[in-house]
């Protein structure tokens, strides 16, 4: 595969207790393989002002201080970065 991966699909997030969250996503069917992912978190739709986090796998579990977050994710490989997933 010699192109960037497609945008991830099936983005979900679940609050775990008071200050933790589980976020998961899947690679798009038929997409080139991703080697890492960027999880973008914003306080308003379409923004990343709460942070951009890098992951090797398709999930995050950990702290997330109480707030409302808008999440989206992109996939990356040696050939580039995908567009954003649907925002949740």
């Amino acid at each position: 595969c010699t192109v960037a991966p497609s945008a991830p699909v099936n983005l979900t997030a679940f609050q775990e207790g008071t200050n933790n969250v589980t976020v998961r996503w899947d690679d798009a069917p038929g997409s080139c393989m991703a080697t890492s992912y960027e999880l973008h978190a914003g306080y308003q739709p379409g923004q990343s002002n709460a942070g951009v986090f890098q992951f090797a796998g398709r999930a995050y579990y950990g702290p997330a201080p109480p707030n409302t977050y808008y999440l989206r994710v992109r996939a990356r490989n040696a050939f580039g970065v995908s567009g954003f997933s649907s925002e949740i």
Side-chain angles (χ1 to χ4, degrees), residues 1-2 11-12 31 35 37-38 46 49-51 57 66 72 79-80 88:
C1 212
T2 58
L11 179 61
T12 60
S31 176
T35 55
Y37 302 88
E38 300 174 357
N49 54 357
R72 53 201 176 135
F79 300 99
I88 60 169

Side-chain angles (χ1 to χ4, degrees), residues 19-21 53 60-65 69:
N19 293 318
N20 289 307
V21 66
F53 308 94
Y60 167 75
Y61 172 79
Y69 299 99

Side-chain angles (χ1 to χ4, degrees), residues 35-58:
T35 55
S36 65
Y37 302 88
E38 300 174 357
L39 176 63
H40 291 245
Y43 298 115
Q44 294 87 26
Q47 295 192 1
S48 301
N49 54 357
V52 177
F53 308 94
Q54 304 288 327
F55 299 101
R58 294 185 313 265

